Amino acid sequence: MSVEATNVFLTGATGVVGTEVLRRLIERPETSVTALVRNSASGQQAEERVKSLLKSLGYRDVEVFNRVRPVTGDITKHDLGLDPSTLTEIKSTCTHFVHCAGKVKLSQSIEEARRHSVTPAKSVIELASASDRLQKVEFVSTIGVAGKLEGDVPEQRLGGVNEYHNTYEQSKAEAEVHCFNAIDNGLPMSIHRPSMVVGDASTGQVSQYQVFYHLCDFLSGRRTCGILPRFGTQMVDIVPVNYVADCIVDSLSTPASVGKIFHLCNGPSPDLEMEKLRNTVQRIYGEFDIDCIDRLRLPKWVLLTAAWLGKNLGPKHIRGSARALPHLLAYLGRNQVFRSNETQRWMESRGIRRPDPVDYVDRIIRRYIQDSQAPTRKEAKIASSVESHVKHATGGASATAPASEEMVTST
């Protein structure tokens, strides 16, 4: 029998997965949430960040605001940067723990990656272990813990992985070791390994555009002057954020999932071959009059050399793309298949079906372009001011200028 969550401690509430987890927890009237949030770099306090987040999710009810309590912290610090009184209160009140926070940055140093993966994993484990009312812990890892392991990647603890594509993968794998030790010592925890998380399968909406969307820009050829690698039958693995959040929240209230490892991914699919995805990107970008370039296909090593030259010797406007290119190329040519059969059977028995990518790929790419072309708040404010002056000068007539080429082509 499932146990209903009553007080959930949530990290990463403002992130891609955490936002959707929070949305689902709010929909449970009996559930309250203690959300760990850091103050923003712009100076916005944690409480204001959470209020803004709830409003962006469509919540205006005071009752909802009262059920979501923000606490200020920092996942890179011991005890998540929480003060002693807050720690004591969490230990005495929280029944469930969901750790979604992290830093999906492929180029960070190993020290920085460990601060964002290993340090918070240890802190969450210690905090949950000390909870007086603990029922369940959900830990969000990544399918990338398989590193450069070739062949089938099973839904189990992975041994023998000695090489990784980047420090993010390595630090997450190290964090999993601490989780498995905690599970062996009796901590009621489940592990979730998502692949590239993309927008909601029904709406395309996502709070932040991450790796997959950078890959789409890369496949458009616009960042490499039309020079692309030879893809062969290489596939990409993506998973919609609504499926990820549904699985996590369901597992949270299911004691039978303790100790399980869930692969929240698509697995092998011919619809996600890189060449087919490139064709899809070209078609959808074309709908928005964004020119894609496909001039030349070269071996991966040639592109890596070009990326090094661009990063170190190129003009400023290409250095960012040049720095990112090796991390994208690192995934090409690998012989790796993420298995998810057991996860799918388990989730389907719980009424959760994984969406088919053929039904949502177009939608998520289209939403990305629409959001990327939408004016920022600053631009909208300027446009409103300009229009107001135009109306005043013309006696109330409205003038609408065509979008600049920069706005049309910027993604």
Side-chain angles (χ1 to χ4, degrees), residues 277-321:
L277 180 59
R278 190 203 66 81
N279 291 335
T280 300
V281 167
Q282 185 174 28
R283 172 173 53 80
I284 296 177
Y285 277 40
E287 294 176 8
F288 293 85
D289 296 323
I290 300 173
D291 292 329
C292 294
I293 313 169
D294 189 1
R295 291 196 179 102
L296 185 63
R297 298 300 178 93
L298 295 174
K300 188 169 70 172
W301 70 267
V302 176
L303 286 175
L304 285 171
T305 302
W308 185 90
L309 292 171
K311 179 181 68 174
N312 292 283
L313 304 175
K316 284 185 177 180
H317 69 276
I318 72 165
R319 290 179 188 173
S321 295

Side-chain angles (χ1 to χ4, degrees), residues 190-400:
S190 301
I191 309 290
H192 302 267
R193 292 174 179 164
S195 57
M196 289 187 191
V197 180
V198 298
D200 185 287
S202 298
T203 66
Q205 184 177 359
V206 67
S207 63
Q208 300 170 36
Y209 292 110
Q210 296 181 325
V211 181
F212 172 77
Y213 301 94
H214 303 313
L215 176 62
C216 288
D217 279 344
F218 169 67
L219 293 176
S220 75
R222 297 167 61 245
R223 293 188 175 184
T224 58
C225 300
I227 302 174
L228 296 172
R230 297 166 184 164
F231 296 122
T233 58
Q234 176 68 37
M235 298 181 188
V236 63
D237 197 302
I238 60 176
V239 61
V241 67
N242 56 300
Y243 177 71
V244 174
D246 285 344
C247 293
I248 292 170
V249 173
D250 181 79
S251 177
L252 184 67
S253 57
T254 309
S257 67
V258 168
K260 286 190 173 295
I261 298 172
F262 294 111
H263 277 195
L264 309 182
C265 58
N266 189 76
S269 170
D271 294 314
L272 291 176
E273 287 185 1
M274 293 288 280
E275 195 61 51
K276 289 186 178 180
L277 180 59
R278 190 203 66 81
N279 291 335
T280 300
V281 167
Q282 185 174 28
R283 172 173 53 80
I284 296 177
Y285 277 40
E287 294 176 8
F288 293 85
D289 296 323
I290 300 173
D291 292 329
C292 294
I293 313 169
D294 189 1
R295 291 196 179 102
L296 185 63
R297 298 300 178 93
L298 295 174
K300 188 169 70 172
W301 70 267
V302 176
L303 286 175
L304 285 171
T305 302
W308 185 90
L309 292 171
K311 179 181 68 174
N312 292 283
L313 304 175
K316 284 185 177 180
H317 69 276
I318 72 165
R319 290 179 188 173
S321 295
R323 279 193 295 268
L325 183 56
H327 299 290
L328 290 172
L329 292 175
Y331 288 97
L332 301 180
R334 63 182 180 181
N335 177 28
Q336 204 170 51
V337 176
F338 304 123
R339 292 299 175 190
S340 59
N341 297 349
E342 294 180 23
T343 297
Q344 286 186 66
R345 281 194 293 269
W346 175 276
M347 292 302 169
E348 286 179 3
S349 73
R350 306 283 305 168
I352 302 172
R353 185 174 294 274
R354 187 193 65 199
D356 189 328
V358 74
D359 295 329
Y360 66 80
V361 167
D362 285 21
R363 186 176 297 115
I364 62 174
I365 297 175
R366 196 170 283 117
R367 178 64 179 260
Y368 168 55
I369 298 174
Q370 291 170 339
D371 285 355
S372 298
Q373 291 187 345
T376 62
R377 290 181 182 177
K378 182 178 180 180
E379 290 169 338
K381 186 176 181 180
I382 292 173
S384 176
S385 177
V386 170
E387 184 167 357
S388 175
H389 282 83
V390 169
K391 284 184 177 181
H392 177 74
T394 60
S398 178
T400 303

